[in-house]
Structures are given as C-alpha cells and as structure tokens.
Amino acid sequence: MPKAPKNALPVTREQNYPEWYQQVIKAADMAEASPVRGCMVIKPWGYGLWENIQKALDAKFKATGHVNAYFPLFIPMSFLEKEAEHVEGFAKECAVVTHHRLEPKPDGSGLRPAGELEEPLIVRPTSETIIGSMYAKWVQSYRDLPILINQWANVVRWEMRTRLFLRTAEFLWQEGHTAHATEAEALEETRKMLDVYADFAENWMAMPVIKGEKTADERFPGAVSTLCIEAMMQDRKALQAGTSHYLGQNFSKAQEIEFQNAEGEQEYAYTTSWGVSTRLIGGLIMTHADDDGMVLPPKLAPSQVVILPIYRSDEERAEVLDYVKSLAEELRQQRYGDEPIRVEIDDRDLRGGEKKWQWVKKGVPIRLEIGPKDIAKNAVFRGIRDTGETAGVSRDECVATIHGTLDAIQSRMFAKALAFQEQNTKTMTDLDEFKSFFKGDDDSSTVGGFVIAHFIEGCPVMEKILKDLKVTPRCVPLDFEDEPGQCLFSGEPTNKRAIFAKAY
Amino acid sequence: MPKAPKNALPVTREQNYPEWYQQVIKAADMAEASPVRGCMVIKPWGYGLWENIQKALDAKFKATGHVNAYFPLFIPMSFLEKEAEHVEGFAKECAVVTHHRLEPKPDGSGLRPAGELEEPLIVRPTSETIIGSMYAKWVQSYRDLPILINQWANVVRWEMRTRLFLRTAEFLWQEGHTAHATEAEALEETRKMLDVYADFAENWMAMPVIKGEKTADERFPGAVSTLCIEAMMQDRKALQAGTSHYLGQNFSKAQEIEFQNAEGEQEYAYTTSWGVSTRLIGGLIMTHADDDGMVLPPKLAPSQVVILPIYRSDEERAEVLDYVKSLAEELRQQRYGDEPIRVEIDDRDLRGGEKKWQWVKKGVPIRLEIGPKDIAKNAVFRGIRDTGETAGVSRDECVATIHGTLDAIQSRMFAKALAFQEQNTKTMTDLDEFKSFFKGDDDSSTVGGFVIAHFIEGCPVMEKILKDLKVTPRCVPLDFEDEPGQCLFSGEPTNKRAIFAKAY
C-alpha cells in the first residue's frame, strides 16, 4: 500500500508513546472513556476482539477439563476479612455497596441512598473468597475433588490512574478457581494454566511471552506462589499479561474447604486461581500497532478480510456488488483455524480513500479493493496490513492463497515481536550499565528493555536502586537453571536470576 | 425406562409445586442460593445451559445485524433521574455504591467503608441511561444511524422475595439497545426482536409462547410500548419470558440523542431496548421438568447423549471403555444443528443405579447404558428422557438414528407443551366463571390457566377484581383482530381482548 504522505495517526510512537496508545484505540474505534470515573466503554470492534479471545481461551479451558459457572457479583465485607493478606491487598480499591434503594430527599431536590445494609457488600475485585465459601459446602470427600471451575465476569478495582484496557476501574476477565486433594496436583494445575496462557499469547495473539515466577513482593495477595507471563511492549516496558496462582492451603483454611482424604483423615484442600483480562487487548495494541493504527493478528481479528467495492455509478455498483458478494461467499467457504474465514464487505457511502484508511487504522489483516477494472481482469487489489504491501492479484490466486496469506501474517507478526523482544533483552553484570539503561523519560519509547541479572530476593540495596529507577523484578523465568554468580546490586553470591524491567 | 417405585424427587408437582421447582434445580445440580442475599450461584450444569442459550441467541442477533459491546456496570445516580418514569420504576430496588475503599475501624474491630463518593453510583438494573449517554456522543447525523448494539451482562435489582432463576437480586441477561432515524424503523426493530425471541423460545427451548403487547400498567418504565412473549408454566401461571420495548423519543430526549436528518433538521432519535435473562432457565424447568427431575430439549442440553459404561472387573472395564469411546467418537462425527453432537461418557466410580438416576434428574435427552452383554450383541440399552421409554437397540441403529431421535424429542417436547397450553386456555364471557377459574390456592398446580376475554384498559371494575384474584392482563396478543364484544368486567362494549393469568 503506498504510504500516505504522513502517518494515519496524529502522533507517532517515537513522539509520544502514551498519547500514541490512546490514538490507536480511538482510530480503531475500540473503546472510549465513559462518564463513570475509570470505567470504559468497549466498542464493537474492541468487543469483537474480546469475543474472539474468549472463544479461543474458553475452548482451551474446556479441553483441559474445566467447566464454567457463575458466582455473585457481591462479596460480604466479612468474607474479604478472613484472609489477612488478601484483604490488605484489595481494601484500598473496593467499590462498596451500602444501600439497597433510593428515596427522595426531604427537600425534594432529587434522590439519596436509603435502606442501609446491615453488612456492606464489596463489588468483587476477584472471587477467591466467595467461590471458596461455596467450595467449602461442596467438598466433603476426596471424591468431590478436583473442582475445576472457570468464571467469565466483570470485576472492579478502584484504580486512581486509569488507562483504557490496561488499567480500568471495571474490567472483564476470566478467573479459574480450582481445588485439589494434593499439593502436587494443585501445583500441576497452576503450571498447566500458565502454559495455556503462554500458548494463547504466542499462538493466537502473536505476542511472545516469558513464563516465570513472581518474587514475594509481586505475588497475588494471599498466594504461596504466583506464576506469570510477561510480554515486552514497543516502549520496551513489561506487561504482565496473565497470572496463575498456587494458593496452597491459605484460602482453604480461611474458608474451611475441608475434605476427608482416602485415609479417612480431615485435610484442607489445595487451591489455585488464574486469570487474564481485557488488559490483553492493551497488550495486543502495544505489541503490534504501528503509526498507522492497529495491526491485528488474523486468528483474533473480528474481520480477517475486508472487501471494499469501488464504483462511480449505480450501474457499476450493481456489477461490483454482485462480484464482491460472490467472492466473499467463496472466501467464507474456506476455514481458518476451526471457523469459516471472517469476511466483511464495506459498502458504506464514504469516499474510497477515507474508507480504506479506516480499515488500515482498525488493523484488518487483508484488504481487497475491487472496481470495474479489476473485475474486467478478474483480479483484486490486495493490501496486507502488517507489511503495508499492496498488489494486484488474480481472483483465483487470492482465493487459493487466502489461508496461506493469513498464516504468513500471523507468523510474521510473532517473529517480528519476538525479534524486538530479543533485541531489547540484555544480560548484565555491571550495575552502572543497568542504571544508565533504565535512566530517562519514563514515557519514552527508546529507554530500557528487559535485563537479565543475578539477584537476591529482598536485598535492600536492590530495593532502593529499583525504586529510584522505577524498575521491578518481573519474574524468575521458569526455564532459567540455577547458575552461580553475584547479585548485580549487592555483589553477594547467588544462583538466582530474574528479568528486570519497567512495567505497566 | 422402568419407573423407580417412587419418583426421583422427594415431592411431586401436584403435592407442592413451588417446592418441586426448588427440588428440580437441586436434583439437576443447576444452581443454589449463595451467602449473598438474593444472589444465586449458577452451577456448571445450569451455566452450560445458559452458554447454549447465549450461543443460539447471539447468532440470531448477529444474523439480524447487531454487534456486541460493553458498557459500565455503574450508573451515576443523576443519570437515572433524567427519565422520570424510569427512575420511579427502579429506585426501590437499587444497589447503591457510596464508597471506594475500606479502612480499619478506629477500635481495630474490623473494617468500614471509606472514601465516600461525591455522587453515589447505582449498580445497573438496566442500561438505557448509561448507553444512551454514549449514543448521544456517537450520533450526529442520520448517517450514524441505526446503532444496533447488544450487551451480555449482569444486572442487579434488589428484590425482596427471590426464587432461583425466576427472580434474583443479580441475574445475567442480554440487553439490546438500538437507535434509529425514524419511528417506523424503530417499531420494525421492536417487532423483529420479539420475533427472534419467540422463534428461540419455540424452536430451541420447545416452549410455546404468545406474542403480545403489554397494557400500560405492565409496561417497562419509560417505554411507549412493551411487546412480550408469555409462556404457560405447568402450574398454569404465565411467565413473561422476554420483552422488546419501543421507547419512542422518551429516552433520546432525556439523554439528548439528537441527529441531523436528511433534510438538515435536528431531530431526536427513536430508540428500542429488548432483553431476555437467566429467567429463561426457570421457564425451561417449569415447562418441561417432571416428577423425576429436569427434562432438557436436545438443542440446548449441555450433553445430548450420556454413555454409562457398566462393568464388574478391571478386565471388563477396559473392554467396555474401549467400546464406549469409539461409540462416542462415532456419534460426535454427526452434527445436530450446526455442531457435533454433544456426547459425554460418565465413568465415575458410582453404583450404576445412582449414576443413571443422576442423569435422569439432570434431564439428558438420551442415555446409553452399555455393558459386556450389550457389546456381545453389538447393542446398546437406550433410555429416552422425555417419554421414559427404554429399549435395547443395535449399535448401528442407535448411531444411524441419533439425529432423528434428538429431533423427535425436540418436537415431542414442544407439542406436549403446546397441547398443555391450549388445553388450559379458555375464552370467557362470564365473570363468575372467570372468578371461580382463578380461585384457590395460589401455589396449586391445578388452578387457573390463560383466559381470553374482552376488556377495556384501565377499567376500574376490572382492576379491583384482578387485584383480588391476583390476576393480571398478560398481554394483548398481536395476532388478535379487533372483535366486537363486552368487557368481561364492566359489560361495556369494546373490541379489545387480552390474555389474563396469574403470573410469576
């Protein structure tokens, strides 16, 4: 596609990365702020993406033996209080329901809350406590285990600084909650779901991730261990894209999820929880979008192919529409993944150039522009979003290669993101290098990256330096073997390495 | 299937209908009450049903040009206040968020709400106001119309008397919200979505419905007209199963959804909204379940076929499992509707009788019991849930006829429910007959039904009588032509007829 004289977005990644992020979302019409503080509206194009994310993940959850269920939106305050670390982690950002009706103000100037509740209810920030209280009722014997349940739901965490998709007061997510008879089985589950997330991130989102374990400070409140996938955004910051928690018996003790084991003894269950959210869409944007807008991986794109009919008269219109409809049907006969290829015809009454750029900004993988001249040659003018390549190809070739073209885009997007991540990941043994690597404007797109370095968890020298640099240990990668070395910060001997980065 | 000496449920419909309803849900393991007042937990079997309902409806919404999106859970109190009838309708049952964090009580005895909000937020009871506020931003010109958006979401209405699925404080639903440039188009949309609901109710749920228009008293708060589908439950009460509202310009004026029409004049948009909820599952239960538990229509059953392997030794187990796995695979090769037949193998370590009755209670349409003797004959022992019929059939026949068997169950269930509705619908011209028809224990399964009678809307004589009898006009059926007659209650002349019934 011949580039427009300037980019389609009013700002580039290099000029102002955070502003560019907002502009991509606006240009692709994916979401916008709502009149409710911190809550977003997910618009049809963004929600279509979420539906595809849900569908792919849901199939993976079911293939690994999970079923869906639904638990209450509200959590009694006393439930949260049962697990001390847990409530500590969420108390500062809870939406609290205190009344159950509205009544007219005595002076008639509007309404006020009435019907105060005996116990305040918290809008779920996560559901370990309410789900655990049900598991306590459902589990008596080891025969009732495991319980392998997932929930698709909205949750609320009252964030003060919000950003569309990445951090919003309300967001959509899935939360898996499982209970097991043994520690080994629960640990296996925790790891299995991390692998599901990594597989999804890499093979559906085309977003390379590092699987690792969080250090104690970064753990989920109440967890024994938190596994995560971390991805590198185009500003080289890390995005935690999914977490899988091994909760040990912490929550089962607080909620009395007890069972009689095969030996007839009472034991507390071993539980896990794991989740990903609409934040993934933020990750998708910051992994793939460019200065012309969104770039979507074919496997998740709400439309994989858009056809733009071009004509100048009603007569031409009839001819062109006939042609594009039959082409769309032919393309839909083919499957990509498990489903018919998603083809959209855009016949809105808009100037051709404007229409084309709207689809560029939305990130549709393949664009086919077709007018009478193309039809005369039985050809289509094909634009590929990720490379910007455009070419006239015969209709037959376009149809015959559609699957391969989509596959090539999907692979290329992953390869590009992986190369970027690898180029910006450094192993360091020199503290000054580390400091200068991360110094600079926090919102710049040219500062930092991932640093692999030896460290000692809880080392106070490290903590001070990281705080000053606004850097965190993202995780201890699971595939790192112990290796003798010195803590980058204190110089003390250690076998452990982590990945350090600035993060969202 | 030879009936057990007594029914599988501890109570029959005739003995105690409301208790029977609860027992079906318990026996089928579909849902249960939660520790949060009025909120239910939808368990995997109930949620699987909801997922199938969602999938079928969502496809219909998309086929009629709608897209999904997501809007905030919270509605600022001032938004609700903008439409007077609307707030009047919902003020008495609102969950009100007043604080955004928890803090320790001064005496250290736990937590209390803190961070009071400037304006209270209402947990959405329905989303006309918050969605309308966004449409006001999105719509400038007639070219921006129509907007055809649906949302799948949870909503909260603080009900005092709750009943699983039928009436819960929180429930799951979909709400379509559309905006149009003309009244005619909005009216067409209202009717189109009612037809979608009726089609779904009859052809998926096997639940016959009457399409009609609500009288003014029964309208959605703020609507110009409310269309509905009404179904008859086995206690002969009516269940409003879905509604489609024509909102005229009431909400667009309150929210300033204004556009420039093709003539260049400013005009308010014409809006509609329509919804169905998890209440449909209550309708499904009360239409089809019997004294042995749930009976599921094949099109919506989470499992359409369950296979129960029967064996007495490890050796037999290996042989039987091999056989049933290959049978399951063979059945899954076939499609019912657009999808592979849903087959489950239940190899849990449970007594055969207990296991069989669990599936009877869950309502799985077809049950195949297979042991070594059946395998020797290459046969299966097949149980059909709706008729209770059981028979040995050859494996080949079972496989070859599976689609037809499912279809026959689906049709038979609808025909049975329709016959019941027709038998219990009477046309009346005598007021005493009407009164005695509805007299009796409200929870009885042998009182009342649907009555077709002439009436005059707002007639005070009628209102008094209906109030005493706890009967309401359910709707004015859309297919009723005007017909001269006398109001059953006042004797005054009128052309209008309605359907009257007790209702959920």
Side-chain angles (χ1 to χ4, degrees):
Chain A
M1 154 186 94
K3 286 280 174 191
K6 44 180 195 154
N7 298 110
L9 301 184
V11 62
T12 66
R13 285 161 286 186
E14 218 184 300
Q15 287 166 348
N16 184 336
Y17 192 86
E19 176 60 21
W20 163 83
Y21 176 75
Q22 302 293 336
Q23 290 296 335
V24 173
I25 293 171
K26 189 175 172 187
D29 206 19
M30 293 166 77
E32 64 185 66
S34 81
V36 185
R37 213 195 126 286
C39 292
M40 67 177 160
V41 171
I42 307 179
K43 298 182 79 172
W45 191 250
Y47 198 82
L49 199 50
W50 181 240
E51 288 181 290
N52 289 338
I53 291 173
Q54 284 190 298
K55 198 182 239 177
L57 279 172
D58 198 67
K60 285 177 190 291
F61 298 157
K62 284 175 178 155
T64 44
H66 302 86
V67 287
N68 290 326
Y70 189 78
F71 297 84
L73 171 66
F74 300 127
I75 299 179
M77 191 170 68
S78 58
F79 279 46
L80 268 193
E81 292 178 278
K82 280 184 197 166
E83 216 292 330
E85 283 186 35
H86 190 67
V87 69
E88 171 77 21
F90 289 106
K92 294 195 184 84
E93 46 185 46
C94 283
V96 190
V97 176
T98 53
H99 294 75
H100 68 78
R101 58 185 174 86
L102 299 172
E103 66 181 15
K105 284 187 194 163
D107 66 2
S109 71
L111 298 171
R112 66 177 185 191
E116 190 167 356
L117 301 177
E118 278 182 39
E119 180 181 4
L121 296 172
I122 310 306
V123 181
R124 63 181 162 221
T126 180
S127 301
E128 278 75 8
T129 56
I130 184 78
I131 293 182
S133 77
M134 299 309 296
Y135 286 6
K137 290 177 63 180
W138 299 345
V139 174
Q140 267 92 47
S141 143
Y142 69 96
R143 287 171 195 268
D144 301 321
L145 294 170
I147 298 185
L148 304 172
I149 286 183
N150 174 63
Q151 167 171 271
W152 291 97
N154 52 344
V155 286
V156 172
R157 298 178 185 177
W158 206 269
E159 301 279 357
M160 280 307 173
R161 275 192 61 200
T162 60
R163 207 183 290 207
L164 293 175
F165 291 119
L166 292 173
R167 195 174 290 277
T168 48
E170 181 191 13
F171 55 93
L172 304 183
W173 80 344
Q174 60 67 218
E175 46 182 328
H177 294 273
T178 71
H180 307 262
T182 66
E183 174 172 32
E185 200 185 290
L187 282 168
E188 189 193 328
E189 168 81 7
T190 311
R191 177 57 198 267
K192 184 194 288 170
M193 299 324 288
L194 188 76
D195 290 345
V196 163
Y197 288 154
D199 173 40
F200 175 75
E202 303 206 326
N203 296 314
W204 268 254
M205 297 177 65
M207 180 174 81
V209 292
I210 290 165
K211 297 190 270 190
E213 183 174 356
K214 288 284 181 197
T215 55
D217 284 350
E218 304 281 322
R219 253 181 228 144
F220 177 73
V224 172
S225 154
T226 287
L227 303 182
C228 62
I229 50 171
E230 298 280 331
M232 184 186 286
M233 304 293 96
Q234 290 182 74
D235 61 353
R236 302 173 196 184
K237 282 191 196 154
L239 182 84
Q240 175 182 302
T243 47
S244 183
H245 314 293
Y246 171 61
L247 306 174
Q249 295 176 313
N250 292 353
F251 282 83
S252 65
K253 282 180 181 164
Q255 287 147 352
E256 296 168 14
I257 311 176
E258 263 188 293
F259 68 98
Q260 194 170 54
N261 65 24
E263 288 72 43
E265 296 151 354
Q266 285 298 112
E267 206 177 337
Y268 289 107
Y270 299 83
T271 67
T272 84
S273 68
W274 29 275
V276 296
S277 73
T278 34
R279 179 169 235 223
L280 287 179
I281 297 177
L284 205 56
I285 295 167
M286 289 202 290
T287 301
H288 300 301
D290 63 20
D291 297 335
D292 286 331
M294 192 58 198
V295 181
L296 284 169
K299 284 197 188 167
L300 295 176
S303 299
Q304 290 156 334
V305 179
V306 65
I307 305 182
L308 308 177
I310 297 165
Y311 47 80
R312 270 168 297 186
S313 66
D314 283 354
E315 208 173 32
E316 279 187 11
R317 179 170 186 266
E319 181 202 10
V320 173
L321 276 188
D322 266 4
Y323 188 90
V324 302
K325 278 180 190 164
S326 86
L327 174 61
E329 260 329 295
E330 207 179 333
L331 291 170
R332 286 186 194 119
Q333 296 302 315
Q334 300 197 50
R335 299 175 89 81
Y336 184 65
D338 278 344
E339 303 200 328
I341 289 182
R342 298 186 282 269
V343 184
E344 183 166 348
I345 296 170
D346 180 2
D347 187 35
R348 287 174 304 159
D349 181 16
L350 263 186
R351 279 192 320 108
E354 192 181 339
K355 203 191 276 190
K356 181 189 91 172
W357 280 102
Q358 284 188 1
W359 290 106
V360 169
K361 290 188 279 188
K362 279 181 177 293
V364 169
I366 299 175
R367 214 170 52 250
L368 304 176
E369 300 168 32
I370 299 172
K373 281 184 198 157
D374 305 293
I375 297 177
K377 291 181 292 183
N378 206 24
V380 304
F381 186 75
R382 185 179 69 191
I384 305 290
R385 178 62 181 93
D386 71 316
T387 56
E389 188 192 338
T390 56
V393 294
S394 78
R395 174 181 170 146
D396 290 348
E397 188 195 330
C398 171
V399 173
T401 60
I402 194 80
H403 189 284
T405 307
L406 290 170
D407 251 354
I409 297 171
Q410 183 84 29
S411 308
R412 206 158 46 214
M413 287 176 68
F414 178 73
K416 188 180 168 192
L418 183 61
F420 182 82
Q421 189 217 82
E422 286 172 349
Q423 277 154 24
N424 291 289
T425 301
K426 320 268 181 215
T427 299
M428 289 190 192
T429 52
D430 181 89
L431 184 56
D432 289 333
E433 188 189 0
F434 184 89
K435 285 179 178 170
S436 74
F437 188 72
F438 284 117
K439 224 166 242 167
D441 177 9
D442 221 40
D443 284 339
S444 158
S445 63
T446 54
V447 169
F450 285 3
V451 170
I452 299 169
H454 276 86
F455 83 121
I456 294 168
E457 231 189 291
C459 160
V461 186
M462 173 180 80
E463 285 179 357
K464 166 92 179 66
I465 294 169
L466 294 183
K467 199 179 164 200
D468 289 347
L469 292 169
K470 294 185 190 157
V471 167
T472 46
R474 300 314 304 155
C475 66
V476 175
L478 297 182
D479 62 358
F480 276 15
E481 305 275 329
D482 274 2
E483 195 182 275
Q486 283 88 44
C487 170
L488 180 69
F489 309 94
S490 65
E492 298 293 319
T494 174
N495 291 325
K496 260 180 121 180
R497 287 172 298 164
I499 288 194
F500 296 85
K502 290 178 186 286
Y504 281 93
Chain B
M1 160 184 90
K3 287 277 174 192
K6 46 180 194 154
N7 298 110
L9 300 184
V11 61
T12 66
R13 285 161 287 186
E14 219 185 299
Q15 288 166 349
N16 184 337
Y17 192 86
E19 176 60 20
W20 164 83
Y21 175 76
Q22 303 293 337
Q23 290 296 337
V24 173
I25 293 171
K26 189 176 173 186
D29 206 19
M30 293 166 79
E32 65 184 66
S34 81
V36 185
R37 215 195 124 284
C39 293
M40 68 177 159
V41 171
I42 307 180
K43 298 182 80 171
W45 190 250
Y47 198 84
L49 200 48
W50 180 240
E51 289 180 289
N52 289 338
I53 290 173
Q54 285 189 297
K55 200 182 237 178
L57 280 172
D58 198 67
K60 286 177 191 290
F61 298 156
K62 285 176 176 154
T64 44
H66 302 86
V67 287
N68 290 326
Y70 188 77
F71 297 85
L73 171 66
F74 300 128
I75 299 179
M77 191 170 68
S78 58
F79 279 46
L80 268 194
E81 291 178 277
K82 280 184 196 167
E83 218 291 330
E85 284 187 34
H86 189 67
V87 69
E88 171 77 20
F90 289 106
K92 294 196 184 82
E93 46 184 45
C94 283
V96 189
V97 176
T98 54
H99 295 75
H100 68 77
R101 57 186 175 84
L102 298 173
E103 65 180 16
K105 284 187 195 163
D107 66 2
S109 69
L111 297 171
R112 67 178 185 190
E116 191 168 356
L117 301 176
E118 277 182 38
E119 179 181 5
L121 295 172
I122 310 307
V123 180
R124 63 181 161 221
T126 180
S127 300
E128 278 75 8
T129 57
I130 184 79
I131 292 181
S133 78
M134 299 309 295
Y135 286 7
K137 289 178 64 181
W138 298 345
V139 174
Q140 267 92 46
S141 144
Y142 69 96
R143 287 170 194 269
D144 300 323
L145 296 169
I147 298 184
L148 304 172
I149 287 182
N150 174 63
Q151 166 171 273
W152 290 98
N154 53 344
V155 285
V156 171
R157 298 178 186 177
W158 206 269
E159 303 279 359
M160 280 307 173
R161 276 192 60 198
T162 60
R163 206 183 291 206
L164 293 175
F165 291 119
L166 292 174
R167 195 174 291 277
T168 49
E170 181 191 13
F171 56 92
L172 303 182
W173 81 344
Q174 60 67 219
E175 45 181 329
H177 294 272
T178 70
H180 306 263
T182 66
E183 175 172 32
E185 199 185 291
L187 282 167
E188 189 192 328
E189 168 81 8
T190 312
R191 177 60 198 266
K192 184 194 288 170
M193 299 324 288
L194 188 77
D195 289 345
V196 163
Y197 289 154
D199 173 39
F200 175 74
E202 301 205 327
N203 296 313
W204 268 253
M205 296 175 67
M207 179 175 83
V209 291
I210 290 164
K211 295 191 271 191
E213 183 174 356
K214 287 284 179 196
T215 54
D217 285 349
E218 305 279 323
R219 253 180 227 143
F220 177 73
V224 172
S225 155
T226 287
L227 303 182
C228 62
I229 50 171
E230 299 279 331
M232 184 186 286
M233 304 293 96
Q234 290 181 73
D235 61 354
R236 302 174 195 182
K237 283 192 194 152
L239 182 83
Q240 175 182 302
T243 48
S244 183
H245 314 294
Y246 171 60
L247 305 175
Q249 296 176 312
N250 292 353
F251 282 82
S252 65
K253 282 179 182 165
Q255 287 147 353
E256 297 170 11
I257 311 176
E258 263 188 294
F259 69 99
Q260 195 170 52
N261 66 23
E263 289 72 42
E265 296 151 354
Q266 284 299 113
E267 206 178 335
Y268 289 107
Y270 299 82
T271 68
T272 84
S273 67
W274 29 274
V276 297
S277 73
T278 35
R279 180 170 234 222
L280 287 179
I281 297 177
L284 206 56
I285 295 168
M286 289 203 291
T287 301
H288 300 301
D290 64 20
D291 297 336
D292 286 332
M294 191 58 198
V295 181
L296 283 169
K299 284 196 189 169
L300 295 176
S303 299
Q304 291 156 333
V305 180
V306 64
I307 305 181
L308 309 177
I310 297 165
Y311 47 80
R312 269 170 297 187
S313 67
D314 283 354
E315 207 172 33
E316 279 187 10
R317 178 170 187 268
E319 182 203 9
V320 173
L321 276 188
D322 266 4
Y323 187 90
V324 303
K325 278 179 192 165
S326 86
L327 173 61
E329 260 330 294
E330 208 179 335
L331 291 170
R332 286 186 193 119
Q333 295 304 313
Q334 299 197 49
R335 299 175 87 80
Y336 184 65
D338 279 344
E339 302 200 330
I341 290 182
R342 296 186 284 269
V343 184
E344 183 166 347
I345 297 170
D346 181 1
D347 187 35
R348 286 174 306 158
D349 181 16
L350 265 184
R351 279 193 319 110
E354 191 181 340
K355 203 191 278 192
K356 182 189 91 172
W357 280 102
Q358 283 189 1
W359 291 106
V360 169
K361 290 188 279 187
K362 279 180 177 291
V364 169
I366 300 175
R367 215 171 51 251
L368 304 176
E369 299 168 31
I370 299 171
K373 281 185 197 154
D374 305 291
I375 296 176
K377 290 182 291 182
N378 206 24
V380 304
F381 187 75
R382 184 179 69 190
I384 306 290
R385 178 61 181 93
D386 72 315
T387 56
E389 187 192 338
T390 56
V393 294
S394 78
R395 172 181 172 148
D396 290 348
E397 188 196 329
C398 170
V399 172
T401 60
I402 193 82
H403 190 285
T405 307
L406 290 170
D407 252 353
I409 297 171
Q410 182 84 27
S411 309
R412 204 158 49 213
M413 287 176 69
F414 178 75
K416 187 179 169 193
L418 182 62
F420 182 81
Q421 188 217 81
E422 286 172 349
Q423 278 154 25
N424 292 289
T425 301
K426 318 267 180 217
T427 299
M428 290 190 191
T429 52
D430 181 87
L431 185 55
D432 288 335
E433 187 188 0
F434 183 90
K435 285 181 177 169
S436 74
F437 188 70
F438 284 117
K439 224 167 241 165
D441 177 10
D442 220 42
D443 284 339
S444 157
S445 63
T446 55
V447 168
F450 285 4
V451 170
I452 299 169
H454 276 85
F455 83 121
I456 295 170
E457 230 188 290
C459 160
V461 185
M462 172 179 81
E463 285 179 358
K464 165 93 179 69
I465 294 170
L466 293 183
K467 199 178 164 200
D468 289 347
L469 291 170
K470 294 185 190 158
V471 167
T472 46
R474 300 314 304 154
C475 65
V476 175
L478 297 182
D479 62 359
F480 276 16
E481 306 274 328
D482 274 4
E483 195 182 275
Q486 283 88 44
C487 170
L488 180 70
F489 309 94
S490 66
E492 300 292 320
T494 175
N495 292 325
K496 260 180 121 179
R497 288 172 297 166
I499 289 196
F500 296 86
K502 292 179 186 283
Y504 281 93

